[in-house]
Amino acid sequence: MPSLQDELLPSTPGKFKIDHRVSHHRQLHRCFSSTSTMFLWALFLIALTASYLSFQSFINTGNRYFAASWGGIQWESQVRSSAQIRRSGGMSVLVTGAAGFVGTHVSLALKKRGDGVVGLDNFNNYYDPSLKKARKALLQNQGVLVVEGDINDSRLLAKLFDVVPFTHVMHLAAQAGVRYAMENPNSYVHSNIAGLVTLLETCKSADPQPAVVWASSSSVYGLNEKVPFSELDVTDQPASLYAATKKAGEEITHTYNHIYGLSITGLRFFTVYGPWGRPDMAYFSFTRNILQGKPITIYRGKEQVDLARDFTYIDDIVKGCVGSLDTSGKSTGSGGKKKGPAPYRIFNLGNTSPVTVPTLVNILEGHLQVKAKRKLVDMPGNGDVPFTHANISLARQELGYKPTTDLQTGLKKFVKWYLSYYGYHQSKPLN
Ligand SMILES: O=C(O)[C@H]1O[C@H](OP(=O)(O)OP(=O)(O)OC[C@H]2O[C@@H](n3ccc(=O)[nH]c3=O)[C@H](O)[C@@H]2O)[C@H](O)[C@@H](O)[C@H]1O
């Protein structure tokens, strides 16, 4: 009876006597040949994967190189021209977040008085990027170039400093919004921590080092109850991750001042509002909903107490920013080394007269001549604080900061802009 082995081998009936040693040898040979085939296949697959990966990396590098919105002789000359100073004693300022609300206004003010301004903005989609593009167009009309790029891009930052020896950096790029931090915490770390450090690294290495003025926030006062809030108060009770990243920014900038001699001014903005504002903010989204006949949600604090904010009009904030740039003093370091002490300052930029949220809604109703559909709800535990109120004595003393626009007047200007920007036709003049 043929063995199973015999059956499996090719048979040449009657002619061929199977030698088991040969069979064993053949088996071994088969085994080896299938191993070597597998080996070859494995080699082939490895080679294929490697060439795919290197092709991908080539494509990525190529894309970065070819599709980058910056670089090249023409781009450099645009940057230089935008940074050109047109008044004696003027400054050349890199404005980060230039297509943002405050960034646009500050850039326009600086350009208007003859300073050189180059903007930087990543045009992210935290809110409608078309509004940012419209602000960019506005700036372009006034000769301000806004470079599209992220503050985390150290190559781009180094290039900008290579092309222009900026005297000042107005750092306004940030992930804003108090409540959004619960939805997307990493975006706050990305912009407000990592991006800030990348920017400061560039500034400390630049020669000459620029003076840095940057946007902190009233939210660093967190759950503090002593009012008005003073720069001398302890700020160690943030109520949101946003606030925590801004507080961290104050500490981070302090180390760069201490180690590298960078001149630093941190500005604690108090709920800034006005034309070209941020659609995620209450005054803006309330206006939109009121006009569209949709309900608005008004938060209320403990025991049904109304929330209040020290709403500050954009033109006042711009004056505070420009005053800070003008008085910043010089950074002292060079080649990444500190040569002596440099100024480190923090200022409140508020309005000093808090207004409750229901009063804000009353004012909007008056200007829009439409009744709001109010929905009152208890303040959710999402990072909000019950009130803010700035003590501005220090800013008044050091910067000559003096806010002049009350909420009634400022919202009238905002509503006028809103109606015209979004194409509403006014039948009657604003109240
Ligand atoms: O000073 C700051 O440092 C911050 O100011 C701003 O934060 P806030 O003061 O929270 O402004 P904003 O959202 O307009 O809410 C205003 C009021 O309306 C209430 N509010 C809000 C939304 C809503 O649907 N209902 C409501 O009652 C709400 O409870 C609050 O009482 C900036 O967004 C922030 O980026 C940062 O710069």
Side-chain angles (χ1 to χ4, degrees):
M1 202 172 112
S3 72
L4 186 62
Q5 211 172 34
D6 295 346
E7 274 179 356
L8 288 173
L9 287 168
S11 66
T12 316
K15 262 194 176 176
F16 195 66
K17 183 132 176 66
I18 295 163
D19 179 340
H20 282 276
R21 275 170 312 167
V22 172
S23 152
H24 181 66
H25 175 78
R26 276 196 194 154
Q27 260 189 307
L28 272 178
H29 177 75
R30 271 191 167 195
C31 175
F32 271 120
S33 76
S34 72
T35 311
S36 58
T37 313
M38 271 171 65
F39 180 68
L40 280 174
W41 270 109
L43 262 184
F44 176 68
L45 282 174
I46 290 169
L48 198 70
T49 313
S51 52
Y52 172 78
L53 288 177
S54 56
F55 181 66
Q56 278 298 312
S57 124
F58 169 77
I59 299 262
N60 287 344
T61 322
N63 268 351
R64 221 182 314 127
Y65 186 75
F66 293 113
S69 58
W70 58 272
I73 294 169
Q74 206 188 343
W75 178 84
E76 286 184 17
S77 99
Q78 285 171 347
V79 171
R80 264 189 216 100
S81 144
S82 189
Q84 189 115 43
I85 300 170
R86 293 174 204 279
R87 69 181 176 99
S88 81
M91 45 181 108
S92 51
V93 190
L94 174 66
V95 180
T96 71
F101 170 36
V102 180
T104 298
H105 285 276
V106 172
S107 299
L108 288 173
L110 292 170
K111 192 70 181 178
K112 198 167 166 199
R113 67 176 202 174
D115 292 316
V117 182
V118 176
L120 176 66
D121 203 292
N122 70 4
F123 293 90
N124 69 20
N125 61 2
Y126 167 58
Y127 61 78
D128 181 12
S130 77
L131 178 58
K132 301 180 183 183
K133 294 283 176 192
R135 295 187 190 124
K136 178 185 174 171
L138 185 71
L139 289 168
Q140 208 164 318
N141 277 341
Q142 301 305 313
V144 177
L145 173 73
V146 182
V147 173
E148 188 157 348
D150 197 288
I151 48 169
N152 284 282
D153 186 345
S154 54
R155 282 175 60 236
L156 169 57
L157 291 176
K159 185 74 195 165
L160 285 167
F161 274 88
D162 223 24
V163 177
V164 178
F166 291 107
T167 57
H168 294 75
V169 171
M170 182 81 226
H171 175 48
L172 299 166
Q175 177 58 59
V178 173
R179 290 163 289 279
Y180 180 65
M182 285 179 74
E183 258 176 73
N184 189 358
N186 285 331
S187 65
Y188 291 79
V189 177
H190 177 80
S191 295
N192 304 357
I193 306 281
L196 174 67
V197 170
T198 306
L199 178 76
L200 293 170
E201 279 291 313
T202 309
C203 293
K204 81 132 208 258
S205 306
D207 204 357
Q209 288 178 337
V212 179
V213 178
W214 74 286
S216 181
S217 159
S218 72
S219 65
V220 301
Y221 291 107
L223 303 174
N224 285 11
E225 287 184 349
K226 178 186 147 279
V227 281
F229 298 151
S230 150
E231 294 89 343
L232 300 174
D233 298 342
V234 173
T235 49
D236 60 1
Q237 307 183 78
S240 65
L241 182 68
Y242 169 71
T245 60
K246 286 294 180 182
K247 175 66 186 166
E250 294 186 353
E251 314 294 1
I252 290 167
T253 50
H254 186 270
T255 62
Y256 278 81
N257 166 265
H258 172 68
I259 301 174
Y260 301 109
L262 277 179
S263 159
I264 301 282
T265 306
L267 302 175
R268 293 177 178 168
F269 293 158
F270 282 70
T271 315
V272 189
Y273 72 98
W276 294 98
R278 272 174 37 209
D280 63 311
M281 290 183 68
Y283 73 96
F284 201 119
S285 63
F286 286 176
T287 300
R288 187 177 50 223
N289 283 13
I290 293 171
L291 285 169
Q292 293 176 1
K294 292 181 183 162
I296 59 169
T297 307
I298 298 174
Y299 301 136
R300 273 189 318 194
K302 275 190 203 139
E303 286 149 20
Q304 320 240 303
V305 172
D306 290 333
L307 303 184
R309 288 291 180 272
D310 199 358
F311 296 101
T312 311
Y313 189 62
I314 183 65
D315 289 1
D316 292 323
I317 289 290
V318 169
K319 284 185 202 141
C321 291
V322 173
S324 300
L325 289 166
D326 286 343
T327 57
S328 64
K330 285 200 186 318
S331 292
T332 62
S334 72
K337 289 231 166 61
K338 180 179 176 177
K339 296 275 161 60
Y344 180 83
R345 313 181 297 170
I346 288 189
F347 296 111
N348 285 342
L349 293 186
N351 192 50
T352 67
S353 43
V355 175
T356 67
V357 177
T359 306
L360 164 94
V361 177
N362 294 345
I363 298 173
L364 284 176
E365 286 178 326
H367 290 322
L368 294 167
Q369 297 162 28
V370 181
K371 207 98 195 99
K373 292 179 182 151
R374 300 170 187 231
K375 219 174 82 191
L376 298 175
V377 303
D378 289 340
M379 183 173 87
N382 55 7
D384 249 329
V385 292
F387 56 83
T388 63
H389 183 183
N391 175 336
I392 56 162
S393 336
L394 195 61
R396 191 182 292 129
Q397 200 178 304
E398 303 280 322
L399 312 176
Y401 173 73
K402 196 171 167 289
T404 56
T405 311
D406 62 19
L407 192 60
Q408 178 82 26
T409 313
L411 282 179
K412 184 173 179 175
K413 293 183 182 179
F414 164 72
V415 166
K416 189 165 183 238
W417 167 82
Y418 186 99
L419 296 176
S420 122
Y421 183 77
Y422 289 103
Y424 287 87
H425 299 291
Q426 274 169 253
S427 48
K428 294 186 260 177
L430 292 179
N431 284 339

